[in-house]
Amino acid sequence: MALVLGIESSCDETAAALVDGDRRIVAQRIASQDEEHAPYGGVVPEIAARAHADRLAPLIAAVLEEADVTLDQCDAIAATAGPGLIGGVMVGLVSAKALAMASGKPLLAINHLEGHALSPRLADPALEFPYLLLLVSGGHCQLLLVEGVGEYRRLATTIDDALGEAFDKTAKLLGLGYPGGPAVEKLAREGDPKAVPLPRPLVGSKEPHFSFAGLKSAVLRAVESGEHADADIAAGFQQAAVDCLLDRTRRALDRIDTPPALVVAGGVAANQTVRGALEGLAAEHDMRFVAPPLPLCTDNAAMIAWAGIERLPLGQFDPLDVAARPRWPLDPEAEAVRGAGVKA
Ligand code: AMP
Ligand code: MG
């Protein structure tokens, strides 16, 4: 049975995992850097790269030891090769290259977004292609039609900020600390989602793209006005975000043959209001709703190893001089979106 070592280091989680062809996460370790970045209210790339460099080798050793396997017993080494913060990506990819070279095992340079896109199949053996994936994380907000391994059609993306970023910014403005998503969700439970009038950017527009910059600015103005309770702002922001997700996902569904399943992944998929709303939308369209368990939604190495397992039978290995890529769209044919200078 296939066994792949996966490495993830594209943002602020250093992670290593061993996954087999039976969908077993044989061993995994994740070291979060929340404490290092908290004083700055966001991820500082240089600090992240150094933390990955300090932690990755011991994490890999711990995973191999826990599983009681050697590199010789692995079929391939898979590592995130982008998109992400380039210093961190290089730490993970160079480590994977060194291990591949030393062991003679093939290298798989994985697109981090492909890891997210395929991870629901690690958790759910019944999930077949195609499915509609809403990927909502700290760095991305995309709707992807996942038609097969290596076959991703991007239907929509954000023209400015990722939704996780907007959650983090809202948390910062409300003095809730970093990472902000869980804190905003908690405070929102005590607020009235209708009390603060906030915009729903791009809702009703023809293309199913997302935009959250205007919502972020509106939250800033609401905070500065001093007229609203913090909990009402949190609840209003969360509701506006959910309304955007629902409207945009509906729009995307209008454009394609309805696939059998709607899947959500990425850190924001941890949000119960988001999950509940999407579950309702899936039911409306007679689609199955799949939300992988939370540890698989946020950045992790098991999804990278799993993407490797999915790619193994296709023989899609990479040369040892493969480059790390700060930007790497999953669907190279997707058109550039107006205003989307930052996010692929
Ligand atoms: P990722 O980029 O996939 O590692 O996810 C991290 C992002 O998910 C951060 O921007 C978090 O603020 C966001 N996040 C995590 N938990 C929640 C939550 N419960 N509600 C909203 N956003 C969340
Ligand atoms: Mg993260």
Side-chain angles (χ1 to χ4, degrees):
M1 171 166 354
L3 182 67
V4 170
L5 171 67
I7 293 171
E8 159 61 33
S9 59
S10 65
C11 189
D12 60 343
E13 260 89 31
T14 316
L18 278 163
V19 173
D20 74 15
D22 250 354
R23 294 182 157 81
R24 260 190 342 128
I25 300 174
V26 181
Q28 71 168 325
R29 288 273 202 287
I30 298 194
S32 161
Q33 303 171 6
D34 285 350
E35 269 179 35
E36 279 91 336
H37 301 293
Y40 306 94
V43 179
V44 182
E46 180 61 24
I47 293 176
R50 283 166 192 255
H52 289 304
D54 285 345
R55 290 170 192 182
L56 184 56
L59 277 188
I60 294 171
V63 160
L64 291 169
E65 193 184 315
E66 185 189 324
D68 197 18
V69 302
T70 61
L71 286 179
D72 278 344
Q73 292 165 278
C74 296
D75 292 279
I77 321 284
T80 295
L85 301 174
I86 194 66
V89 173
M90 283 174 67
V91 169
L93 185 59
V94 168
S95 304
K97 287 178 179 180
L99 294 175
M101 193 183 270
S103 64
K105 299 293 175 179
L107 173 73
L108 291 156
I110 305 287
N111 184 317
H112 179 82
L113 300 175
E114 179 171 50
H116 279 299
L118 297 175
S119 67
R121 283 166 50 81
L122 167 56
D124 186 341
L127 180 62
E128 305 217 11
F129 302 118
Y131 49 88
L132 180 63
L133 172 72
L134 173 63
L135 176 56
V136 269
S137 69
H140 300 275
C141 187
Q142 303 194 343
L143 281 160
L144 293 157
L145 186 63
V146 182
E147 296 178 295
V149 179
E151 294 173 48
Y152 313 104
R153 184 140 70 90
R154 197 197 72 193
L155 302 170
T157 188
T158 176
I159 65 166
D160 41 53
D161 301 326
L163 182 51
E165 228 176 309
F167 265 96
D168 292 333
K169 179 74 183 187
T170 297
K172 201 172 178 179
L173 290 169
L174 293 173
L176 298 175
Y178 175 85
V184 170
E185 177 174 22
K186 190 161 166 242
L187 184 60
R189 276 188 218 120
E190 295 157 28
D192 172 3
K194 296 204 177 101
V196 186
L198 290 169
R200 271 87 175 138
L202 293 186
V203 160
S205 72
K206 193 166 133 252
E207 300 288 332
H209 296 308
F210 302 91
S211 165
F212 296 105
L215 176 57
K216 233 169 63 176
S217 315
V219 168
L220 169 67
R221 287 192 296 274
V223 172
E224 284 179 349
S225 77
E227 288 169 17
H228 306 286
D230 286 358
D232 288 343
I233 295 175
F237 161 78
Q238 183 173 269
Q239 190 56 52
V242 166
D243 289 350
C244 293
L245 293 181
L246 287 181
D247 177 80
R248 310 288 61 214
T249 307
R250 273 200 189 97
R251 176 70 59 168
L253 282 168
D254 284 347
R255 302 187 148 206
I256 54 174
D257 291 335
T258 309
L262 173 64
V263 179
V264 65
V268 183
N271 187 288
Q272 293 304 322
T273 307
V274 168
R275 281 168 105 102
L278 292 170
E279 192 167 9
L281 179 69
E284 254 174 50
H285 288 79
D286 274 330
M287 299 167 83
R288 262 187 79 204
F289 177 66
V290 178
L294 289 192
L296 266 187
C297 283
T298 48
D299 289 345
N300 66 89
M303 71 180 189
I304 302 303
W306 174 251
I309 295 270
E310 296 255 41
R311 272 177 46 180
L312 270 183
L314 306 176
Q316 294 172 351
F317 303 115
D318 293 281
L320 286 177
D321 63 354
V322 66
R325 300 174 64 172
R327 295 189 195 178
W328 185 2
L330 251 196
D331 176 358
E333 276 160 32
E335 280 175 27
V337 180
R338 178 187 55 83
V342 184
K343 311 287 180 238

